[in-house]
């Protein structure tokens, strides 16, 4: 089975309350997840959002399934593609450990306008002002 996973994070201010939004599409179902994160910068929130997404799909996917990770965060997609993230190596190692059980993982950067569902979920999870 193919799991299309759309991931986004939101942060209020430079270092503020943050959140994660995840939209998972399978052949005939859609799953929506959102989660509040502690105060952090947006780059770290993007890594935490990807980790949250992988926690969400872990309850659904099997090792022979394909995960298509779609994110509008260039830093996360570049880190996953290159296996390196200067300031976020611990987070990248954790994400790679979460991906280890899966034989087929496709990492795809998408423009923000194609990530509207995950973006809306992340916005909904931000605490009110």
């Amino acid at each position: 089975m193919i799991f299309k996973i759309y991931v986004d994070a939101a942060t209020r201010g430079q270092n503020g309350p943050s959140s994660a939004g995840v939209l998972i599409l399978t052949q005939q179902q859609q799953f929506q997840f959102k989660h509040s994160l502690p105060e952090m910068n947006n780059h770290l929130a993007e890594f935490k959002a990807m980790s949250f997404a992988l926690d969400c799909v872990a309850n659904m996917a099997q090792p022979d399934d394909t995960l298509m990770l779609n994110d509008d965060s260039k830093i996360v997609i570049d880190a996953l593609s290159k296996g390196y993230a200067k300031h976020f190596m611990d987070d990248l190692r954790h994400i790679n450990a979460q991906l280890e059980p899966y034989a087929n993982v496709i990492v795809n950067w998408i423009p923000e306008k194609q990530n509207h569902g995950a973006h809306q979920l992340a916005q909904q999870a931000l605490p009110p002002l």
Side-chain angles (χ1 to χ4, degrees):
M1 183 180 304
I2 297 173
F3 289 84
K4 294 180 182 177
I5 305 162
Y6 295 84
V7 182
D8 199 16
T11 299
R12 186 171 289 126
Q14 281 197 330
N15 287 298
S18 299
S19 60
V22 177
L23 180 64
I24 300 174
L25 304 174
T26 63
Q27 292 168 335
Q28 297 179 354
Q29 290 185 300
Q30 174 179 298
F31 302 91
Q32 298 179 358
F33 302 93
K34 54 188 174 184
H35 178 66
S36 294
L37 299 168
E39 289 191 8
M40 61 185 65
N41 68 49
N42 187 255
H43 289 315
L44 181 56
E46 293 287 355
F47 281 94
K48 298 297 185 187
M50 182 60 73
S51 180
F52 173 66
L54 294 171
D55 285 342
C56 294
V57 79
N59 295 323
M60 298 180 241
Q62 301 298 315
D64 60 340
D65 290 331
T66 297
L67 303 186
M68 294 180 67
L69 304 176
N70 299 285
D71 198 333
D72 60 18
S73 170
K74 288 190 179 194
I75 190 170
V76 171
I77 297 303
D78 286 349
L80 287 169
S81 299
K82 296 174 184 175
Y84 178 77
K86 184 176 183 178
H87 300 291
F88 304 100
M89 281 306 295
D90 288 341
D91 296 287
L92 181 58
R93 281 187 203 98
H94 180 73
I95 290 167
N96 281 333
Q98 289 175 285
L99 290 171
E100 197 169 299
Y102 304 102
N104 302 307
V105 177
I106 299 166
V107 179
N108 187 37
W109 176 83
I110 57 173
E112 285 181 33
K113 65 183 177 183
Q114 292 179 15
N115 205 20
H116 188 71
H119 176 79
Q120 286 298 108
L121 291 166
Q123 290 294 318
Q124 291 171 12
L126 275 176
L129 288 172

